[in-house]
Amino acid sequence: MKFDTPAGPNPIDRGRVIGIPHDRIDGAAKVTGSAPYAYERHDAAPNAAYGWMVGSAIAKGRIAAMDLRAAEAAPGVLGIVTHANAGKLGKGSMNTAPLLGGPQVDHYEQAVALVIADTFENARDAAKLVRIDYAAADGRFDLAADQARGVNPGKDADTAAGDFDGGFAKAAVKIDQRYTTPDHSHAMMEPHATTAAWNGDKLTLWTSNQMIAWGVGEVAKTLGIPKDNVRLVSPYIGGGFGSKLFVRADAILAALGAKQVGRPVKVAIARHQIPNNTTHRPATIQRIRIGANKDGVIDAIGHEVWSGDLPGGGPETAAQQTRLLYRGPNRMTAHRLVTLDLPEGNAMRAPGEAVGLLALEIAMDELAEACNVDPVELRIRNDVQYDPEAGPQRPFSSRKLVECLRTGADHFGWAKRDPKPGQVRDGRWMVGMGVAAAFRNNLVQKSGARIGVDAKGRIIVETDMTDIGTGSYTIVAQTAAEMLGVTLEQVTVRLGDSRFPVSAGSGGQWGANSATAGVYAAAMALRAKLAEQAGYPADQALFEDGLVKLANKSQTLASLAGRDGLWAEDSMDYGDLDKRYAQATFGAHFCEVGVDIDTAEVRVRRMGGAFAAGRILNPKSARSQVIGAMTMGVGAALMEALDVDTRFGFFVNHDMAEYMVPVHADIPQQDVLFIDELDDKSSPMKAKGVGELGICGAGAAVANAIYNATGLRLRDYPLTIDKLLKAQAA
Ligand code: MOS
C-alpha cells in the first residue's frame, strides 16, 4: 500500500481500541519472568556453552603477541576465538571499527578474544589468563583540544538561508554563547546479549536488537555468509536507546564461538565492558548565535556543532532542530567532525535534538532575559508554521508548539514564576522554574506485516517489528483489533523474528507510527479477502463485534476464515508527503527545582510537559515513554557523563555505580499532557512518533530552572555541584 495523499476518514478513526489507555498485553509475561530474553533461551538452544569477551586494554595500536596456553588449559575451557582463528571477517555498514579486533586495535575494550567454557564462571576465570602484549600507538582523545581539526563531514552538514552574518551584525539584541555536552552512555537495563546456534550452515541468533532485517544483513556481511542462512530472533528487549540499532560484538562472537565449539554459545557483554566496547553518544561543543529585535523576535539564528568519532564515523547532528524550530529570515547551521580514537560514537536517545536542545533552549532563555520577555511568550513570538529554511511553500504537516506552551504553562502554574532569579526561598532551598520547547523530527519508514484470522476467529499478527520496552506489542494488537472489529483479547501478536515481514524496526521514534501503519496495510488486505469470502463489496462491509456485516446481514470471522484460516500480507510505503510537508513533533517542558543554599545540591521538585505528536495510539504507554524520556533529560542535565581519560583514551566511569542516571526518587512529580492532534500527512494512523520527544528539551528546562532559582548560568553539562559552587564563588 502506498501512502502519498493525506489520509481521509478510515477505520482507525472509530477509536474503539486505538487511543484507549490499555495495559500492555506483554505486561504479565514481563513481570512474571516468563518473557524470554536473548541470554535466557535455554528452551530454544539447550546445552549452550558460555562465552566471555576479552576487550583490548589499549585504545590504539596493535596486538604484538597473544599467549592463550594458560587460558586453554583452564578448567572447562572449550575454545577461544581470536582474529587468528576467526577467518576473514567483513565489516557491517554501521560499524566504524571491526567487532572483533586484532591485530590492529581501533579503540579501548574492542573485542579481541572470546573465551568459551562449560560454565559462565569458568569462561570468566579463563579469560583472565589470556595474555596479550600490545604495541600501543598515540591516539587523539580530547574533543576540546582538537576542536580546530573539525572537518565538514559532507551530506547535509551545513544549511543556510538569507544572510546570517549580516542579520546577526545588525541585530538589536545578540546572544553568542558556547555550550558543551559530554559523552553519554545508553545505560539500558539488558546488556547486549546473544545466544547463537548453528544447524549445518544455518545460523540462528537469539539476540537483543532493535532492527531485525538490518541486523540480518549486517551479520551476513560480517560473517561472509548468505542472508538466507541467518535468522535473528528478538521478541523481548530490555531497552536499547539506540545502542542495539546495530549488531554488536556479542552477536558476532557468539556466532563464531558456536561454530568453533560445535554447540550453542551465549555471550553477554558485561556491564563494565559496555560503555567502551559498544557505541555511545559523542560529546559536543556548540556555538549558538541569535540576533533579535528588542521584542525578542528572531532575525538571525546560527548553530554550529563540533563532535568526534573514529575514522569513518559521523557527526552528532545537534543543530537539526535549529533548522526548523524558530522563525528568522537569516540562518545557518553547521556540523564539524573531529577524528578521535575514543570508542565508537553513534545514535543514542534522540540523536541530534536531545543534545542540540540542551544548548538551544538555554540560549532562548538567555534571549528572553536579554529582551525582558517571558520565556514562554518569547517562544510563542518566534513560532513559525512552515520550514523556515525552505519558506512558506513547505508548511508543517501539523505543528502545535504554541498550544503546548500555553496549555503546559497553565497546567504547571507558570504564572507564579518570578522572572527575577534568586527570589524564591523554601527553607534551605532556592526555588526556581524553567521552560524549554521540545522538538523531534517525525520520520516515516516502510513497514510490513502479515495478518491472519484462524478457524476460531482469532487474529494473529506477525511482523519483525521489535518492542524495546516501548509498548509495540500492545499498539500493534490495538491496530489489528480496530481494523478487524474485534477486542484486544482476540489478537495474538508475534514480533521480532526475521521470518516475519520486514518492518520499520525501533529507532528514531518512527516505530509506533510506521509499524502500525504496516499493520493497517496488511489488515486492509485481509478485510478485502474476508469481504470477498462473504460475498460483500469490500468498501461497504463493516467489521465489528467479530462479524463482517453488510446492511442487516452478517457472518462471523471464524466462519469466513474456514479451517485453514485466511492470511494477508502487505506493507505501507511512503511517497513524498514528508518532502512536501515538514513533519515533526512538539512539546513544552516545565521544571521546578530547589538548589540547596549551602551545598548547591539540586533537587528536581516537579516536572510537567505538554506534547503534540499526532494521534496518541495508547495514552498509557505513550505517557510512560514521555516520562522515561523526561527522566533521561534530567540525567543529561544533572548527572550523566562518561569521563574521558584523555591520556589513555577510554571512559573511566564504565559501570552503573559511577555512570549516574536518575531514578524514581530523584523526581517526585511528573505530569504529561497530550494535546489533541491528528496528522493526516504522517500516515493512515494520523499518528507521529512520541518515544524520543520527551527527552528533547527536558534537560534545558532543568538548567533554566536552576538559573531562575540561583542566578547561576551554567552552559557545560551536566550541571553538577562542583560547577555550581565554582560559579557561585565567581
Ligand atoms: Mo534511536 S537513538 O534511533 O534507537
Side-chain angles (χ1 to χ4, degrees), residues 84-272:
N85 62 22
K88 191 172 156 39
L89 296 178
K91 199 165 79 177
S93 57
M94 293 313 298
N95 303 126
T96 14
L99 294 175
L100 175 61
Q104 182 183 311
V105 169
D106 304 280
H107 64 84
Y108 184 84
E109 202 79 79
Q110 183 178 24
V112 291
L114 181 79
V115 177
I116 305 143
D118 56 347
T119 67
F120 173 81
E121 291 76 10
N122 280 341
R124 187 180 56 184
D125 285 356
K128 297 202 167 73
L129 302 174
V130 172
R131 160 107 212 187
I132 304 175
D133 295 324
Y134 296 97
D138 290 337
R140 306 259 200 175
F141 309 118
D142 189 340
L143 176 66
D146 277 359
Q147 186 182 354
R149 283 198 301 112
V151 298
N152 183 331
K155 201 174 170 294
D156 302 331
D158 293 8
T159 59
D163 169 17
F164 172 76
D165 289 329
F168 186 70
K170 62 179 194 323
V173 182
K174 292 185 181 121
I175 300 297
D176 181 357
Q177 290 292 352
R178 177 185 184 274
Y179 307 84
T180 65
T181 63
D183 296 282
H184 286 146
S185 191
H186 302 81
M188 66 288 155
M189 285 187 14
E190 183 200 20
H192 301 259
T194 301
T195 301
W198 292 86
N199 183 357
D201 57 1
K202 305 271 189 205
L203 171 66
T204 303
L205 297 173
W206 293 269
T207 189
S208 193
N209 187 282
Q210 298 175 221
M211 305 280 291
I212 300 302
W214 202 0
V216 166
E218 298 285 281
V219 169
K221 204 168 158 191
T222 307
L223 297 177
I225 60 176
K227 272 206 237 183
D228 288 347
N229 289 358
V230 179
R231 181 179 173 205
L232 250 62
V233 189
S234 195
Y236 298 104
I237 299 168
F241 309 150
S243 77
K244 295 172 182 166
L245 284 169
F246 322 117
V247 166
R248 297 300 311 174
D250 55 304
I252 300 304
L253 293 174
L256 293 168
K259 183 127 234 174
Q260 188 181 101
V261 304
R263 64 192 254 201
V265 165
K266 301 164 183 276
V267 177
I269 301 177
R271 182 60 69 183
H272 72 269

Side-chain angles (χ1 to χ4, degrees), residues 180-187 281 348-349 354-355 358 591 602 604 607 627-642 653 658-664 666-667 670 694-703 706 716-720 723:
T180 65
T181 63
D183 296 282
H184 286 146
S185 191
H186 302 81
R281 186 202 324 267
M348 176 177 142
R349 314 189 204 146
V355 286
L358 284 173
C591 179
V602 178
V604 172
M607 297 181 90
I627 284 182
M630 285 162 76
T631 307
M632 293 170 176
V634 172
L638 299 177
M639 305 173 193
E640 290 188 65
L642 286 168
N653 50 338
E658 295 193 66
Y659 184 85
M660 301 295 167
V661 295
V663 297
H664 285 271
D666 289 312
I667 312 166
Q670 274 173 306
I695 189 174
C696 297
V702 179
I706 291 174
D716 297 307
Y717 290 98
L719 314 183
T720 45
K723 292 174 190 167

Side-chain angles (χ1 to χ4, degrees), residues 25 236 458-463 472-478 480 491-495 500:
I25 60 172
Y236 298 104
R458 233 190 130 66
I459 306 295
I460 297 142
V461 190
E462 295 176 340
T463 160
S472 308
Y473 278 101
T474 312
I475 56 172
V476 163
Q478 286 176 265
V491 182
T492 300
V493 179
R494 299 182 187 134
L495 298 182
F500 301 152

